Amino acid sequence: KLEEFLNFKHLKTSLKEAVLLDYYTAGFWWAKEMNFSLIQLSGFMDLLNFLLENLSDKHMTLGDNLKELGRAMAGIGETDSERGGDLNFFSIEQAKAVIDYL
């Protein structure tokens, strides 16, 4: 199903498509094993895509990409609504697990 969603047409002959399918599939199953809710699963998949785009499109270094991850995860668990980030649907423990996974 993920192959269809990603619209991969040349999976059997394209190493790039095979690697991307593996990347997203591994992330999806890890998030499922973490018992993430639907919104958390969607947010995690967006995060995987965001980090990959930083590497492939923006040619960020690993260090710069980790800084971006830190910015994206900043504010998780904060009670002040102005401080909370877009990923505030993760608990602090879940956010730590996401960082460890990545």
Side-chain angles (χ1 to χ4, degrees):
K1 292 290 182 188
L2 198 52
E3 176 185 347
E4 291 174 23
F5 178 78
L6 295 171
N7 198 28
F8 287 162
K9 304 282 188 212
H10 308 286
L11 189 61
K12 293 188 187 317
T13 58
S14 171
L15 183 59
K16 180 180 178 180
E17 286 186 4
V19 168
L20 288 173
L21 183 62
D22 188 50
Y23 174 74
Y24 287 114
T25 300
F28 176 84
W29 283 111
W30 178 84
K32 288 290 284 180
E33 289 174 0
M34 291 292 297
N35 294 315
F36 284 175
S37 69
L38 218 52
I39 195 159
Q40 291 169 326
L41 181 60
S42 177
F44 178 71
M45 296 304 287
D46 282 345
L47 191 57
L48 286 179
N49 189 57
F50 169 71
L51 296 173
L52 186 62
E53 284 180 353
N54 284 347
L55 293 172
S56 63
D57 297 344
K58 297 178 184 176
H59 305 288
M60 283 188 178
T61 65
L62 179 60
D64 287 342
N65 212 3
L66 289 173
K67 287 178 188 174
E68 286 295 312
L69 174 61
R71 285 187 198 106
M73 303 295 271
I76 291 176
E78 297 285 330
T79 55
D80 183 359
S81 62
E82 291 181 19
R83 179 74 176 117
D86 290 341
L87 300 172
N88 213 22
F89 42 78
F90 288 119
S91 69
I92 293 172
E93 294 77 25
Q94 289 169 326
K96 288 178 183 178
V98 166
I99 292 168
D100 286 345
Y101 175 81
L102 295 170

